[in-house]
Amino acid sequence: MKSFFEETTYNEVLQRVRSLHQGSERKWGKMTVGQMVWHCQYPLEIAIENKKGGKKGNPLIRWFFKKSLYNDTLWRKNLPTTPKAKAIEEKDFIAERKKLEQLLHDLYALRERTEWNPHPLFGSFTHEQWGQLEYKHLDHHLRQFGV
């Protein structure tokens, strides 16, 4: 499984994000390209902020879904998302892509971090699992828009 923390993977993701444009068409789902780049910011912010004292996750959700977050199996299309990351209003693609690129840079800069607090929904991840999770989410949505 690729990890966002690998230099080649980071560069690949960044290039794929930069290849998106206002007219990029989705292959599935309801989000526009502007909404998708906005949506992809939320998991990056969680990892970057890595706040202490968050929830340790829901045991039922962890049991059912956690391993699928960082393995090689592609996620199925049209999966539900947390309400905080659900894009309802249209988003300014250019502005949101710029924010996404900055967050990608900021997370990659933390590639040597060794201590990670638990994810607020899914609980504890290793450094390797954080990198895989972030890559898998980004890859899912970039494939959604054909890049």
Side-chain angles (χ1 to χ4, degrees):
M1 177 76 205
K2 289 184 178 182
S3 170
F4 180 79
F5 298 132
E6 298 165 349
E7 184 177 6
T8 55
T9 303
Y10 164 72
N11 288 327
E12 170 206 321
V13 168
L14 193 57
Q15 183 58 41
R16 289 169 71 190
V17 167
R18 288 177 176 162
S19 71
L20 292 166
H21 54 86
Q22 185 67 45
S24 294
E25 298 270 337
R26 65 182 172 258
K27 294 184 172 193
W28 72 81
K30 298 177 183 176
M31 289 189 287
T32 65
V33 68
Q35 290 171 325
M36 181 274 287
V37 294
W38 174 86
H39 165 84
C40 285
Q41 296 170 28
Y42 183 66
L44 297 169
E45 290 169 344
I46 289 173
I48 291 165
E49 292 172 7
N50 201 234
K51 294 179 181 176
K52 284 187 178 183
K55 296 178 184 175
K56 301 263 194 279
N58 179 314
L60 188 60
I61 290 174
R62 281 197 316 258
W63 188 80
F64 278 117
F65 300 109
K66 188 171 179 180
K67 287 186 181 179
S68 74
L69 298 175
Y70 53 83
N71 66 23
D72 283 324
T73 305
L74 296 178
W75 291 339
R76 67 178 173 84
K77 300 171 182 175
N78 301 312
L79 289 170
T81 190
T82 180
K84 288 183 180 181
K86 190 168 188 159
I88 297 169
E89 299 171 2
E90 186 51 53
K91 304 294 180 185
D92 179 329
F93 168 72
I94 300 297
E96 298 301 336
R97 184 176 66 180
K98 186 175 181 178
K99 289 179 194 173
L100 179 59
E101 287 180 23
Q102 184 61 54
L103 288 168
L104 293 171
H105 173 76
D106 293 348
L107 182 59
Y108 184 68
L110 298 172
R111 65 192 174 278
E112 301 298 325
R113 178 190 276 170
T114 57
E115 298 292 322
W116 294 86
N117 290 310
H119 186 281
L121 184 59
F122 296 108
S124 296
F125 289 111
T126 65
H127 175 79
E128 182 178 344
Q129 290 167 341
W130 273 104
Q132 292 167 338
L133 163 65
E134 295 298 343
Y135 171 75
K136 191 165 183 176
H137 183 253
L138 291 161
D139 177 64
H140 175 77
H141 287 293
L142 292 169
R143 284 185 302 100
Q144 179 184 12
F145 282 84
V147 297

